[in-house]
Amino acid sequence: MLVVDDIAWLDRASAAVLGFVARRLAGSRAGLLAASRSGEESFFEHAVLPGYELQPLTDEDAAALLRARYPALAPRARQRLLADAQGNPLALLELPVALGDSRRASGGALPPILPLSGRLQAVFAARIRDLPAATFNLLLLAALDGTGDLTVLHGTDTLSPAERARLVRVEQDRRLVFGHPLMGSAVVEMSTGEQRRSAHRLLAERLADRPERRAWHLAEAAEGADEEVAALLQAVAHANLRRGDGVRAITLLLRAAELSPADPDRAGRLGEAAYLGAIVNGDLRDAPHLLEQARRADQRGESLATAVAGAYHLLNGDGDVDSAHRLMSGAIEMLPDPGDAHNKPLIEGLYTLLMVCFFGGRAELWQAFHLAIDRLRPGPPELLDILGKTFSDPARLAPPMLDRLDAVIAGLHQEISPARISRIGIACAYVDRLGQCRDGLWRVIGHGREGGAVTSAIEALFLLGNDAFLVGQWEELEQVVDEGLALCDKHGYRLLAWPGIYLRAMLAAARGQQDTATELADQMTRWATPRGARAIQHYAWQVRALTALGSGDFDEAYRQASAISPAGVLAPYVPHALWTVTDLAEAAWRSGRRAEVAAHAAAVRQAGLAVISPRLTMVAGACAAMAAPDGRYGRLFEAALATAGAERWPFERARLQLIYGERLRRDKATVRARTQLAAALDTFRSLSAAPWTARASTELRATGLSIGPGRAAGMAALTPQQQEIAKLAAAGLTNKQIGERLFLSPRTVANHLYQLFPKLGVTSRAALRDALNQVK
């Protein structure tokens, strides 16, 4: 067996001899195996010989190889490597090693041009060495520019040698494209430092009308500290951040820090990069390294940007709420002008302080935040002002902000910053407007899946989970919570995981999985109590209250719900009290605490919660109904359940229907009780809310209606309008005829029929008459 590697390197005579031999080996006991790289020219004539072209790895196989060899790679780095390697196995195995060294040197940011290992340089550089100097210089410009724009490169007449060697090609849109992305990296690594700086200076001149690209090339051309260029880079970084490209912003800030001649400026830029690295890259491991660099650079003390990064790391790493609060509030007070609303680090610091205060869950923590907001000149940014009220003490501060919040939501489709979209969602959470943010939140999640803002993606996933629980989309809840918790686990976000764990526990409690719910609530309590994270304790108390309600232990449910906010009080700076009004009122009513029910109904009415959202309108009305005497509760319950849009909150509405139906049954209003109980039963069954399904079934049987497992509840399960439609359809009327009689569109009639068929246990109009006769 004769094996020849790299046949492109053979001289003409050797290639001719080997080709002559190869064509005459068929049928002999000798063999020839020769290899060459795709696209390489050679003197070896192999057209008549059997051959095999080894294709690049598929996308799936390339991703599997990276996962197997480098499982800890961040998603953004993995996507970049897959894109640049283009299925080359050697590149996939070698690039992460060189990239790891490069990222450690740059604070975790991905370099604009991937570095090559020694073996990769040998592979890709061999075809570049013999190019004419003018051609090499043009390729260097193209690699450093990165856009392939021929109007910037100029001198394309020198490209011919590179095109003949198949190193580059010119696309139809007049863009220069390297035959392989790593060929550009090889060109850069073969150049000298002076060649690169000269190329960057030339590109900066040609890009005078494109500020961002010009700033980057000026920075790369700099040979030492240059505050003018550093400030320009920082401004460009902020512009990228506003557009939602936090990854690029970090790269620019780190380069700006390198160019900063003054230590305080360098410290501020490093601190800002550390903060953004934690919330964008999702890698808390890089933050301490950058923070240490920032502290060493700032001899005067902790800069605000460094404090922001440090507080964020404390909050998301160790969960030390009180230390994070002291660090942030102290750094803000130490500013020469703590009222400058145009100070971006200050505004970002206030967003961080807001989250510290929320997870702390104590009124005294919010004093420093509101003081800082009140002195901002000319005033706080709109979203910060709204968020500071709807998320801190919504019972008291949210109502005057709702019109402004609705205006912000209306413009959500134009938002491109993941952090800003996520913050809008957070502002909506306790005022029941998350459903209007769904499209924007899914965009944030998509951005995070592509390697973008990981923290914003986690927040968006759990915000969607909150909405999914309230609106009864429990399968979606499981999916988004699982994804969010996986990201928290992967990136070390211990604090951010608790909202996801809370949602998982609430779902378990609603479905009667008591052991799971109790264990998760215990985990929350054990973690939150020593760290002063009161908001996490609120989560645990609500989970225990719902678990106790499901199991019929109403005294325990009352104790747990009132720990969040006592009956008759909406505790200040406890936004979770708006999510637990029904829990507390139901627990008090079922445990015979009529005075406490009345007190809480009065507190809800006096706070004006009904103006905040349809859900709270329904809940406030139901609380008043629970507190009402026998002769008045029916009208109040009917009004509450008829609230426009109340169907959007099926689990909570069904619980109120169950209470109303139970009271009607005890008052011998059997027919009316069946209507409420059957509707509640259908909802609980559709949600697989086992404890409530069992209770509604028991109550319905107590009315004298036989309900077997899985059977429909008959006409009692239908709304009055659905009952009328069912009768008309059974009489043979078409959808159009029914619509004309009831002043409905044919589509609306069809929708009602689609909903009522399963309630009557039928699948077609033909079976309606028999089903109605059986009910009679």
Side-chain angles (χ1 to χ4, degrees):
M1 171 66 74
L2 178 62
V3 179
V4 184
D5 198 8
D6 288 317
I7 58 174
W9 292 4
L10 293 174
D11 60 82
R12 186 184 297 272
S14 299
V17 170
L18 285 173
F20 178 84
V21 171
R23 287 188 290 274
R24 287 158 177 78
L25 290 179
S28 73
R29 297 178 61 192
L32 173 71
L33 177 64
S36 65
R37 293 190 177 89
S38 298
E40 285 188 328
E41 299 290 342
S42 74
F43 296 116
F44 185 80
E45 178 56 53
H46 57 78
V48 300
L49 299 175
Y52 176 76
E53 184 172 358
L54 183 64
Q55 298 297 323
L57 295 179
T58 64
D59 292 343
E60 294 77 10
D61 289 340
L65 178 60
L66 266 187
R67 282 195 301 271
R69 288 299 186 92
Y70 302 99
L73 269 177
R76 185 169 48 85
R78 176 176 283 105
Q79 290 171 2
R80 173 71 182 280
L81 291 172
L82 289 171
D84 280 20
Q86 289 193 345
N88 184 311
L90 179 62
L92 289 166
L93 295 176
E94 297 276 334
L95 278 174
V97 178
L99 179 62
D101 294 337
S102 172
R103 292 190 74 196
R104 281 188 288 274
S106 60
L110 286 171
I113 298 175
L114 292 181
L116 301 184
S117 66
R119 286 207 292 173
L120 285 174
Q121 288 183 41
V123 170
F124 287 95
R127 299 164 64 186
I128 300 171
R129 291 193 182 95
D130 297 330
L131 290 175
T135 303
F136 179 85
N137 290 336
L138 185 60
L139 293 185
L140 179 59
L141 282 176
L144 295 176
D145 173 61
T147 68
D149 187 350
L150 293 180
T151 62
V152 174
L153 299 178
H154 301 177
T156 54
D157 54 319
T158 63
L159 269 181
S160 298
E163 289 182 292
R164 285 195 298 272
R166 300 186 185 180
L167 303 178
V168 296
R169 65 181 183 276
V170 177
E171 300 283 8
Q172 290 183 347
D173 60 354
R174 301 295 296 164
R175 296 272 170 183
L176 183 68
V177 178
F178 281 98
H180 194 288
L182 297 182
M183 197 64 71
S185 296
V187 170
V188 172
E189 296 211 4
M190 289 181 64
S191 64
T192 65
E194 182 52 41
Q195 283 178 313
R196 291 192 292 273
R197 286 189 292 272
S198 296
H200 281 298
R201 283 192 291 269
L202 183 56
L203 287 169
E205 292 174 10
R206 295 177 180 177
L207 294 168
D209 60 338
R210 304 177 199 183
E212 180 174 335
R213 291 169 63 189
R214 175 177 175 271
W216 178 256
H217 290 300
L218 285 175
E220 292 300 282
E223 299 186 51
D226 189 325
E227 177 57 29
E228 182 179 351
V229 175
L232 187 60
L233 279 177
Q234 187 172 17
V236 171
H238 291 158
N240 274 269
L241 196 58
R242 287 192 295 273
R243 292 199 302 269
D245 191 354
V247 174
R248 179 65 174 165
I250 294 168
T251 302
L252 294 165
L253 283 168
L254 290 172
R255 183 62 178 135
E258 293 174 359
L259 294 175
S260 303
D263 286 343
D265 294 328
R266 185 181 309 113
R269 287 158 183 157
L270 285 170
E272 190 175 357
Y275 169 72
L276 291 178
I279 68 168
V280 175
N281 291 1
D283 192 350
L284 292 174
R285 293 167 296 183
D286 287 336
H289 169 69
L290 291 174
L291 285 172
E292 183 57 32
Q293 288 185 5
R295 291 181 179 120
R296 284 200 302 267
D298 192 356
Q299 301 300 320
R300 299 179 305 178
E302 194 96 48
S303 73
L304 180 60
T306 308
V308 169
Y312 193 84
H313 189 259
L314 279 171
L315 195 62
N316 288 281
D318 301 326
D320 191 342
V321 171
D322 290 329
S323 294
H325 188 274
R326 284 194 298 271
L327 181 59
M328 276 309 312
S329 56
I332 291 171
E333 291 300 323
M334 292 294 291
L335 287 175
D337 182 5
D340 182 8
H342 300 294
N343 184 337
K344 289 180 174 57
L346 169 60
I347 299 305
E348 201 60 42
L350 287 171
Y351 277 117
T352 301
L353 181 58
L354 181 147
M355 297 309 295
V356 173
C357 294
F358 168 76
F359 281 110
R362 287 163 275 148
E364 63 271 17
L365 296 178
W366 286 98
Q367 295 173 5
F369 174 81
H370 288 301
L371 176 63
I373 289 289
D374 290 342
R375 66 187 174 202
L376 287 176
R377 302 183 312 274
E382 178 74 349
L383 180 56
L384 178 60
D385 195 26
I386 294 170
L387 183 56
K389 293 180 173 64
T390 63
F391 200 56
S392 63
D393 192 8
R396 293 165 183 79
L397 303 179
M401 310 300 292
L402 295 177
D403 288 343
R404 292 166 62 185
L405 176 58
D406 289 337
V408 171
I409 296 170
L412 193 58
H413 65 284
Q414 299 177 332
E415 292 289 349
I416 56 177
S417 166
R420 185 171 169 84
I421 294 172
S422 174
R423 286 165 178 167
I424 293 172
I426 292 170
C428 294
Y430 287 110
V431 293
D432 300 322
R433 282 161 170 76
L434 277 173
Q436 302 171 50
C437 304
R438 292 182 66 84
D439 289 344
L441 293 171
W442 277 116
R443 280 191 281 126
V444 172
I445 293 166
H447 187 269
R449 288 170 176 169
E450 294 169 0
V454 172
T455 304
S456 296
I458 293 170
E459 291 170 344
L461 286 162
F462 292 154
L463 287 168
L464 286 173
N466 281 326
D467 187 57
F469 181 79
L470 291 172
V471 303
Q473 300 295 329
W474 289 358
E475 289 184 2
E476 179 185 83
L477 184 153
E478 291 181 288
Q479 293 169 2
V480 296
V481 166
D482 287 348
E483 183 175 353
L485 289 176
L487 286 173
C488 289
D489 183 61
K490 179 175 182 178
H491 298 286
Y493 285 111
R494 297 172 64 192
L495 181 69
L496 283 186
W498 291 115
I501 294 170
Y502 155 74
L503 289 168
R504 183 175 281 176
M506 286 291 288
L507 185 57
R511 287 182 165 169
Q513 299 162 357
Q514 296 181 20
D515 291 345
T516 299
T518 301
E519 172 57 29
L520 293 175
D522 289 346
Q523 289 179 22
M524 287 187 267
T525 300
R526 287 194 298 268
W527 188 89
T529 302
R531 292 170 171 83
R534 189 83 170 179
I536 312 302
Q537 291 178 293
H538 294 156
Y539 291 165
W541 284 325
Q542 188 187 12
V543 170
R544 291 195 182 101
L546 191 63
T547 302
L549 283 169
S551 63
D553 189 347
F554 302 123
D555 284 328
E556 177 63 14
Y558 178 78
R559 282 192 293 273
Q560 296 294 337
S562 58
I564 300 170
S565 183
V569 177
L570 293 171
Y573 295 98
V574 180
H576 215 69
L578 272 64
W579 279 356
T580 56
V581 172
T582 296
D583 298 333
L584 180 56
E586 181 180 359
W589 186 79
R590 292 186 181 282
S591 61
R593 294 176 168 87
R594 299 295 187 263
E596 285 80 355
V597 175
H600 211 55
V604 168
R605 183 182 66 253
Q606 291 166 8
L609 294 192
V611 306
I612 292 179
S613 73
R615 183 187 71 84
L616 288 169
T617 301
M618 175 183 70
V619 167
C623 284
M626 278 186 262
D630 289 346
R632 297 173 52 193
Y633 72 87
R635 178 178 55 82
L636 293 173
F637 265 121
E638 295 286 354
L641 295 171
T643 300
E647 295 84 358
R648 178 170 167 74
W649 328 102
F651 183 53
E652 200 156 19
R653 186 172 188 265
R655 288 167 61 189
L656 299 174
Q657 288 176 314
L658 176 58
I659 295 171
Y660 181 29
E662 288 176 355
R663 196 160 177 181
L664 287 170
R665 185 185 70 77
R666 285 160 177 74
D667 285 347
K668 310 301 183 184
T670 304
V671 175
R672 293 169 61 198
R674 284 177 179 173
T675 299
Q676 299 300 327
L677 294 171
L681 175 60
D682 281 347
T683 299
F684 293 140
R685 279 178 171 168
S686 69
L687 295 172
S688 299
W692 282 268
T693 298
R695 186 177 303 148
S697 297
T698 300
E699 286 291 328
L700 203 52
R701 290 190 187 95
T703 68
L705 189 65
S706 177
I707 301 296
R711 275 191 60 191
M715 288 290 278
L718 306 185
T719 66
Q721 188 172 66
Q722 287 176 337
Q723 291 179 18
E724 187 66 23
I725 290 172
K727 292 174 184 176
L728 294 173
L733 274 68
T734 66
N735 289 358
K736 182 178 180 181
Q737 291 169 332
I738 295 171
E740 290 171 350
R741 184 170 296 190
L742 300 180
F743 302 102
L744 299 172
S745 71
R747 177 176 292 182
T748 300
V749 173
N751 186 50
H752 278 299
L753 288 170
Y754 175 80
Q755 293 175 352
L756 67 85
F757 279 175
K759 295 181 179 181
L760 293 174
V762 301
T763 58
S764 68
R765 297 167 75 101
L768 267 178
R769 183 177 301 173
D770 291 341
L772 296 183
N773 289 334
Q774 288 176 8
V775 170
K776 291 176 184 177

